[in-house]
Amino acid sequence: GQVCHAVPSELSNGLPLDDVAAVIAFTYFGVKILSEAFEEDEGKSAMDEEFEEAQEVVQENDMTNSNAGAQIASIFGLVFAAEFGDRSFLATIALSAAQNPVSVAAGGIAAHGIATGIAVIGGAYISKYVSEKVIAIIGGTLFIIFAITTAV
């Protein structure tokens, strides 16, 4: 992320490359999520497919008789593999290009912890009342808002 700061200003013509990269990434993900939300309901959505893949992995790795350490290691591996390279991962890269990396790391860790807590505790409950489409619209809109606030 800090590579953009090392580019001589003569090459970038004074244009803040890190902010440009962040705006492009946020806009891309916002538009992508919103377009997925408004697609026709033909078959399964991307979230449904990811959920089914996660269920298959859990069923393949039945760890009900394992110790706590093995369960934690298995869950860590599954979550790490799912998160590596996804939208939040790439958004964090874009943020670290535009902001202080220590602040981005602290904010990212806190946000991921809270988001995971919400997913674990309230995911099943919320899904009874809020559709996947509404959640996608909110998420896509937030990415667009992040792009606008970064650009300003």
Side-chain angles (χ1 to χ4, degrees), residues 8-145:
S9 61
E10 295 82 28
L11 293 177
S12 65
N13 293 325
L15 190 65
L17 297 178
D18 51 352
D19 289 342
V20 171
V23 169
I24 290 170
F26 287 141
T27 303
Y28 170 76
F29 292 126
V31 169
K32 185 171 183 344
I33 292 170
L34 288 171
S35 68
E36 289 173 359
F38 290 113
E39 282 181 352
E40 292 294 322
D41 293 336
E42 297 175 13
K44 297 177 184 172
S45 70
M47 282 193 227
D48 288 336
E49 291 174 6
E50 286 184 31
F51 181 72
E52 287 180 1
E53 287 176 22
Q55 280 183 323
E56 288 174 13
V57 170
V58 169
Q59 289 172 352
E60 289 172 6
N61 299 321
D62 183 20
M63 305 212 35
T64 53
N65 296 326
S66 300
N67 65 24
Q71 290 176 348
I72 291 171
S74 175
I75 293 167
F76 174 84
L78 175 65
V79 171
F80 185 81
E83 293 296 326
F84 194 81
D86 76 346
R87 291 179 188 130
S88 62
F89 182 84
L90 297 173
T92 304
I93 292 171
L95 277 172
S96 69
Q99 306 290 328
N100 177 348
V102 174
S103 299
V104 173
I109 290 167
H112 200 313
I114 291 170
T116 300
I118 290 170
V120 169
I121 295 168
Y125 179 76
I126 291 170
S127 68
K128 293 178 187 175
Y129 302 103
V130 180
S131 72
E132 180 182 321
K133 182 175 183 173
V134 171
I135 293 170
I137 291 169
I138 292 169
T141 303
L142 285 173
F143 269 107
I144 298 296
I145 290 169

